[in-house]
Every structure is written in structure tokens, then in C-alpha cells.
Amino acid sequence: MIDIKNSGSIGILDPPPLRNRGIKKVPFVEFYNNRIQGVVSSGSSLERVYVCVLDFNTNTFTCHTNNNRPCGGLRGSMCSHLNSLLSNAKTVDAIRGLDVINKTYSLVQDGSARYSEVFTRFQEKLRFLELNDMQDESIPESRWFYTKLEVKK
Amino acid sequence: MSDKNVNFYDLTGDLDKAIKLTQDLSFLFYNGFSKLIQKEKDVLNQLAKGFVNSPLREIVPQGIDKLQKSDFHKDNFTALVLAITSIHGSIHDALYAKAEEVLEKKITFLTQESDTTFEEHTEEMSTLLSNIQNWLIDIAIGGFSDLNKESIQSFETVLQTVEDNKKLKRLGVILRGLSNEIILVRSDTKEKEHSIQVRWMDLWCKAYLLTLKKQIPSKVREVNGNLKLLGLQPYVHRNFLTIVFNGILENKKEKIYVEIEKSKFIIDLVPIEEFWFQLKQENQNLIDGLLKSNIIKVSNGVLQQNGNLVLTDYKLTTETFDILDVVQKSADKNPLLISKIQAIDRHPIHFKLPCIIKLEDIKNQTVKVGDKEIPIRFELQPTKRVQRPVTKNNMLMELRFDNGWFFKPLTSIGASNVFLGLISEKISTENPIYSILKERSSKILRDKK
Ligand SMILES: [Zn+2]
């Protein structure tokens, strides 16, 4: 009989930690290029969102709508959208979140900076959810890809 | 290097040499054709001599000669791709011949009476495919080792156009997967394994091949009958999840070994469990059929030439079947038919053969076959419970090949549940993140268009 349980070659997937973050309020948050950036809901409509960025390259923060209009909540200090982004970032990556929290006090407002690529990155990710609705075609090559397994021994 | 030239078109005793050659060739793609060193030129020369009796006997040596002289015209890369594809096909066929010999068993193929036909492209499509081809050629010239985020980013718009086109889904998956994999894996020093590089060359070649002509299997077969599922294999990749069911489709006329493939793109904004859960939910009938050995009645199914069964209309019944019976009884007068994959899709990794293994032949994670010992390898464990033998004395396994022979246990009977990537189903029943983002994506992306 094969001793499957003790085999080193098999394993089960370790799921990523459940991210019980406020997805409705902050649908997208990421640490990217020495920035914390993301998309924060306006609360009034699904289409209208705010692009929020804490940029540690320029030591500035900004918030603007996806149509590039400035956020009215920015008055020299961080608006509610930026605060939501920040607290969400901490739930996504607690260690990195803690690491930057102290640095945020030295950031200054740059109300004119625009980060349209943040919204584009969000859209590019959402695209794949739409692609899942496409009709099934067999892709035998999907089995050629390297599979990275988090193996629980 | 041996003096004797191996005929890659007709592999009889030179299986190992052909496999070694494909491995050596992958170094050229990794390092780039613009900086070929003598050792790599030797590999190309060896390849050029291997098609003496083949229809490729003229274009392959010519194309390879020009590539060596840094003439990177696309005709020369086409010749190279045809040569590599031909070797993959020969290895694939030789593996079946070898398996017949080692297992002392006659393999019967299901032949689909079809030649591959090609579809004419619109001008727009031709331009798109030609752009992709040029991009692929640029990558090969510079080498996978040279590829960076910027060169991938410059290709993003073209790639999205491919992905949005239903007819090009397969090409889109290969291109997205390959480019992401090269960037992500290469930046992770722990994963610098040569076996991955070999696969990159394979993916590159397949993508290139798909840009030449849109290939359509001319005669897919309509099938009806009883589907008896024998196994399930999940695959996880950074961009998508795939589950593959193995089974036998049986009707009055024949018994065919089939696979049923289901895939999903994943994104890092949604926990992977939610995607697993969806795949599971969408295929619950199939999973139940597998776990309870219940027959699934299939009407108007479409059997593709690679053995993939596309289900349109099917029903789970309460009638059960005996797994071992299905495979064993078929051995005599009504042999189990293995799909003969169309030539351009043959690749060693698609070699598969269900086998009944005696438990007494299994020792230390290997199966004794004649005087050989073939390892048992698991990819990803699909069930919580361990695989149990089908009977007191036997186990059902699939003989496979990936950088060497291995057996993969097929059956999961006795398992109470299919595990996939789910630790707990609690979070997934509500499906929160996925559904929220999905709602948004339809609004936000429609807005964009
Ligand atoms: Zn704001």
C-alpha cells in the first residue's frame, strides 16, 4: 500500500489568509513601486470611484476621481478616502502596512498629481473576471505551465 | 556528441536523444538567438540533420543555416518551429510504442477521419497575428533571459486584443501565461529550474504555431453514451485554475478514454478559494458522479481530437458503475480507445494511458513494470481522503510522461468530498469579494467601452 500521507511529493494548497477587508469601500489596494495605491468607492454610485495614492517616492499623497477631478475632501490633510485606503492596506499586508504607517505623517498633499494608471491597473484585473464568461474552449497547454504549490508537508 | 545522426522524423530507438535535444534547444531560447555560442550552434546542426526522410528535409536545414547567420526572417523561425513541433510529435508517438512494449499491451487508438483544415483570416486578424509573431521573434532573438516588464508592457494592448477575441482564447492564455511566468519565475531565484525553461520553449513554439494559421479541427465527433468518471486533477497557475476529469465514455459501439477540462482565470484581488468554490459549484454533478461512481448520461457531447469532451447536455443518474470493470473488461473484445491527437498538438506531456496496477507491484512509491521501476507522482491532491485501491488487489493509475515516466493514481473513491483548494467552504458560500468585484467590473468596464 502506498503511504500517501507521508509522501514529500504531494501536498495540499495552503490558502492565502482570508482577506476580510472592506471590499465594498476599497475594491482595490496594492503596494506598488514604493506607493500605496488603490481605488476607493464614493459611496453614491458604483461607477464613481476615487483614485488614492500615497507616494513615498515624492513623499506626497493625493486623491482624485477616475475622471481626474480633485477630491473635495483634501484640505492639506488626508481625506476619508485616503484613510480608508490606508487602513485597508494594513489588512492586506500587516507588516508592510505597519512599516509605512509612521512614514505617512511626513507626507504632504499634492492635489494636482494624477495617477490614471492606478485605475487602469484595476480595470486590467477586472477584465479577467469578464473573460471567465467566455465560452469554454479546451486549452491543453494550460497544463504546460509551471505550477507553484505551497506544499504543506 | 555522437556521430550518428538521429532521424527525428521517425524515432524508433532514439527516444532519449530526441528528448535531450529538445532540452538543449531550450537553452537557445533562454539565451537568445542573437548570441549563439558554438555549443548552441552544434545543437542546431544536430537538429538540421534530423529530417532526412521528412517533408521538412529542405526547409529545416535551410532555415537553421540562416538563423545561425543571424538572418532572423520569419520563414526561418517558422522552419525551426515546425522542426521542434515535429520532434514533439515523434516523441509522443514513440512513447506509445514504448508503452506497448514495456506493458506488453496493445493500445488501440480512436482515429478521427480528418485532416486539419485551415481557416482564412480577415485582414484585421492577419495583421494582429503578424504583430504577435513579430513580438515572439523579438523575444527569441533577445532570449527569455532578456525579457523585462517594459517589453511585456509594450505588448499589453495587443495581448488584450487577443484575449478579448473568442476565437483566439487559446493563444491569449498561452501568451499571457508565458509572459507572466517568465517575469515572475525569473525574478524568483529559487525557481530557476531548467525544466521550466524547456516548457517555455514549448509554449513559445505553440504560440508561434497558432499565429501561422487558425487551426480548426475539421471533424469533431458528436458523442452520446454513459460517462464514467475515474479521476480528477486540479492544476494551479498564477493566472488560472484548471480541473481535468478523466473518464470513459461508453456506448453500444465503443469505449473512449476522455478528459473534461474546466478552467477559470484568477486575479489576486479575490482569494483563490472563491474561484475554486465556483469551479466546484459549476461542476458539482461531475464531482458527484466521480465520488459516488454514478453514471452520467451524455447527449450531444462534442469530442475534440485531443480527447477533450465538451459537455452540452448531461444528467447525473443514480445508477452506479464498477471502476475496475470499466477498464478491465474493455481489454478484450471491446478495447478502450485512446484519442489520437492531431499532429500539430502532439507533445510528450499529452501522453496518457490508464493502467490497472497490482498492489503487490507497488513498493516505495514506485511501480514495478517488468525489470523497470516507475515512480508514482502526484501533482496536486484533489481530495481530502487518500486514494484507495479500487479492489483489494488493484489500483487504477494513469501512465504519464513529463521529463521521465511516472504513474499518477486516478481514482479517488472513498473520498467524501473533493477538496481542491478549499480548506473551509464557509467563506466561499457567500462568495463576497468575487461577486462585489464582478458587479463592479460589468459597470466599470462597460463604462470604458
Ligand atoms: Zn478623497
Side-chain angles (χ1 to χ4, degrees), chain A residues 3 10 18-19 23-24 41 124-125 127 130 132-133 138-139 141 143-148, chain B residues 163 170 181 191 199 206 236 259 261 265 267-268 273 304 308 350 378 427 438 440-441:
Chain A
D3 183 9
I10 65 151
L18 296 185
R19 284 168 292 181
I23 185 88
K24 278 193 173 151
S41 303
E124 280 175 5
K125 284 171 193 279
R127 253 185 80 244
E130 300 285 301
N132 273 336
D133 298 339
S138 147
I139 300 163
E141 292 79 14
R143 275 165 266 172
W144 296 14
F145 291 110
Y146 174 62
T147 299
K148 187 183 181 180
Chain B
E163 285 174 332
R170 189 173 170 195
E181 195 162 286
E191 296 177 18
R199 203 47 51 73
K206 182 45 70 71
V236 193
E259 286 187 344
E261 182 193 297
F265 289 104
I267 57 172
D268 58 6
E273 302 95 312
Q304 296 171 328
N308 186 65
H350 297 313
F378 297 88
I427 77 118
K438 188 79 179 69
R440 262 162 212 281
S441 70

